[in-house]
Amino acid sequence: MELFGTAGIRGDVTSRVTPELVLAVGRAVGLDVVESGGRPDVVVGRDGRTTGAGLAAAVESGLESAGANVLRVGVVPTPALAYASQGRHGVMLTASHNPPTDNGIKLFVDGEEYDRTLERAVEERVEAGTSPAAWDEWGDAYSMELLPEYREAVASYARAYGASCEGLRIAVDCGNGVSAHATPRVLDELGAHVVTLNGQVDGHFPGRESKPTPETLRDLRAFVADSECDFGIGHDGDSDRIVVVGPDGDVVHEDTVVAILAEHYVRSGDADDPVVVTTPNASGRIDERVSAAGGRVERVRLGALHEGIAAAREGGGDVVFAAEPWKHVHTAFGGWIDGVASAAVFARLVAESGLDGLREPVTERPYRKVSVACPDAAKEETMRTLESTLPEAFPDASVNTDYGVRVERPDNSWILVRPSGTEPYVRVYAEADDVDALVEAATDAVEDAVESAS
């Protein structure tokens, strides 16, 4: 059984993430909590999807019937639930940026997402089937007020960076998601003038699709460009993603945002070995700015920032920041992805230096991503072939095969080729001044490898 993807469990509520499955997962988590002998409380929250209340009832039944106590925090951003899971377990019912027909489950322990070992334990329990605890060992449910404490914690953390947001004008597109309960109020608390778009939490997402992209954020982009805002922010349905829109209405590249935050965290700290953890598809501009600030970059597979943070710390590094595109872990604040904290810290950096001032040191080379059709059965052989043919095509480059095949050339341009985990494609990512030629060469090599393996 493989329930978990790169970010928890997600899917259609009538065929995959059903009440029956959610109850079984809840009971599996509850049994783990009880058997570990630790704190028996599990925090349960949900986003604004119309199916959230029913699934919350199901997961609570599973948890309580295993002997765990439930702390209900209601409709909250995922990072708020993660914050509340410090010192205990947490269950968040959300499908993040998926359509309203979907829902999902994200599991946390002590402020971090479940790792592979914990996920497999849940899968094994669900597959084997579990029985309720004895009637007099069931847990109970309580309500807990979370949002005011979380918002104040984010604002307090952000005040350590940048400058006051007084006079700053920011537009925030919540996309009818649960960021409406957090980001506008945090930025207001920091002194900014905030204009909120799609600020009514609605599980149908009537304002726009939940996934924030240049296309879905067209209203935000137009508003920012026409209203003299300093910048804009777009969130997904559960507030772990953040997209930044410049005053001209253009989306700031997600890797530029990461580079800005990463450089600032390296420069502002006093760590002997500052490390930034990111993913194989992240831009070389991050490496350049981190290196210029005196730090180093470590990479980990997509969806596993928490694993990369743990590995870097085991190696003696002091992880000051971790990020994959649109998702950031502010390690001094906590071990979870937090788009609300990103909005707060980024706003204060803009207040101090201006968005143009923050972007100026970052080298923004052309970036492309393409998909090459590849049957699932041929992926393994295709990637094995590319481990030799791609280096041969770029003999002056260094090669890393930890998470796909990443080729880095002396001029800091790069290519990453990796199989999709959910679709019949091999992805090609590239960044270079001559990106079209680079993509063409890489795509030719991938197509040859797929043909040979099929």
Side-chain angles (χ1 to χ4, degrees), residues 395-407:
D396 61 338
S398 62
V399 180
N400 185 297
T401 58
D402 288 342
Y403 309 104
V405 182
R406 184 179 170 104
V407 176

Side-chain angles (χ1 to χ4, degrees), residues 213-279:
T213 68
E215 292 74 28
T216 62
L217 293 175
R218 56 186 176 274
D219 290 344
L220 172 66
R221 295 171 59 196
F223 182 85
V224 171
D226 294 342
S227 62
E228 299 183 350
C229 284
D230 292 281
F231 70 102
I233 291 169
H235 284 301
D236 61 344
D238 72 332
S239 313
D240 61 358
R241 291 188 176 215
I242 180 173
V243 174
V244 175
V245 174
D248 58 359
D250 288 341
V251 171
V252 180
H253 194 282
E254 59 272 18
D255 287 339
T256 294
V257 176
V258 172
I260 289 168
L261 289 168
E263 178 177 8
H264 182 78
Y265 276 121
V266 172
R267 290 194 186 279
S268 63
D270 56 2
D272 293 331
D273 182 21
V275 176
V276 171
V277 174
T278 189
T279 50

Side-chain angles (χ1 to χ4, degrees), residues 108-454:
F108 294 87
V109 58
D110 198 19
E112 296 183 2
E113 292 183 42
Y114 268 34
D115 61 20
R116 279 175 160 175
T117 300
L118 290 173
E119 288 177 348
R120 286 177 182 140
V122 170
E123 289 173 343
E124 289 170 2
R125 286 189 186 275
V126 171
E127 187 169 25
T130 56
S131 299
W135 68 270
D136 56 349
E137 295 176 359
W138 284 31
D140 209 337
Y142 309 89
S143 294
M144 182 174 109
E145 184 70 27
L146 171 62
L147 284 170
E149 178 184 343
Y150 168 71
R151 289 192 296 253
E152 178 51 39
V154 173
S156 178
Y157 170 75
R159 289 189 183 99
Y161 305 97
S164 169
C165 293
E166 293 287 344
L168 209 62
R169 183 176 172 87
I170 307 171
V172 180
D173 185 345
C174 301
N176 301 118
V178 286
S179 63
H181 290 329
T183 298
R185 294 184 64 170
V186 169
L187 295 177
D188 179 75
E189 176 66 23
L190 293 174
H193 176 76
V194 183
V195 179
T196 304
L197 284 67
N198 298 314
Q200 300 79 29
V201 177
D202 188 327
H204 294 88
F205 304 116
R208 62 165 170 84
E209 293 180 25
S210 182
K211 186 174 183 178
T213 68
E215 292 74 28
T216 62
L217 293 175
R218 56 186 176 274
D219 290 344
L220 172 66
R221 295 171 59 196
F223 182 85
V224 171
D226 294 342
S227 62
E228 299 183 350
C229 284
D230 292 281
F231 70 102
I233 291 169
H235 284 301
D236 61 344
D238 72 332
S239 313
D240 61 358
R241 291 188 176 215
I242 180 173
V243 174
V244 175
V245 174
D248 58 359
D250 288 341
V251 171
V252 180
H253 194 282
E254 59 272 18
D255 287 339
T256 294
V257 176
V258 172
I260 289 168
L261 289 168
E263 178 177 8
H264 182 78
Y265 276 121
V266 172
R267 290 194 186 279
S268 63
D270 56 2
D272 293 331
D273 182 21
V275 176
V276 171
V277 174
T278 189
T279 50
N281 60 325
S283 168
R285 68 191 70 174
I286 300 167
D287 304 68
E288 292 173 5
R289 298 319 308 161
V290 169
S291 177
R296 60 185 176 91
V297 171
E298 295 284 347
R299 283 182 163 79
V300 69
R301 66 180 177 88
L302 279 166
L305 290 176
H306 54 297
E307 295 176 10
I309 293 169
R313 286 173 173 164
E314 288 176 5
D318 189 343
V319 181
V320 297
F321 185 58
E324 58 185 76
W326 306 288
K327 298 180 178 182
H328 311 147
V329 179
H330 303 263
T331 51
F333 184 52
W336 58 87
I337 294 166
D338 198 323
V340 181
S342 294
V345 173
F346 198 83
R348 284 187 59 91
L349 296 184
V350 171
E352 181 178 54
S353 303
L355 184 54
D356 287 345
L358 294 174
R359 296 180 68 177
E360 192 277 329
V362 181
T363 301
E364 298 185 283
R365 298 180 181 88
Y367 177 96
R368 281 189 62 193
K369 171 185 171 182
V370 299
S371 299
V372 178
C374 177
D376 289 337
K379 286 178 180 176
E380 185 175 348
E381 179 63 27
T382 296
M383 294 307 301
R384 189 160 41 243
T385 299
L386 289 169
E387 287 181 6
S388 59
T389 58
L390 270 181
E392 290 170 1
F394 303 95
D396 61 338
S398 62
V399 180
N400 185 297
T401 58
D402 288 342
Y403 309 104
V405 182
R406 184 179 170 104
V407 176
E408 298 188 18
R409 301 195 298 181
D411 63 355
N412 290 320
S413 62
W414 58 275
I415 309 161
L416 170 70
V417 178
R418 58 178 293 272
S420 169
T422 57
E423 297 179 290
Y425 294 106
V426 170
R427 312 290 192 195
V428 178
Y429 307 80
E431 182 180 49
D433 291 328
D434 58 339
V435 70
D436 290 337
L438 197 59
V439 167
E440 182 178 356
T443 300
D444 287 345
V446 173
E447 290 174 344
D448 289 344
V450 172
E451 183 177 357
S452 175
S454 299

Side-chain angles (χ1 to χ4, degrees), residues 28-38 66 125:
V29 172
L31 288 170
D32 282 344
V33 170
V34 171
E35 291 178 4
S36 68
R125 286 189 186 275

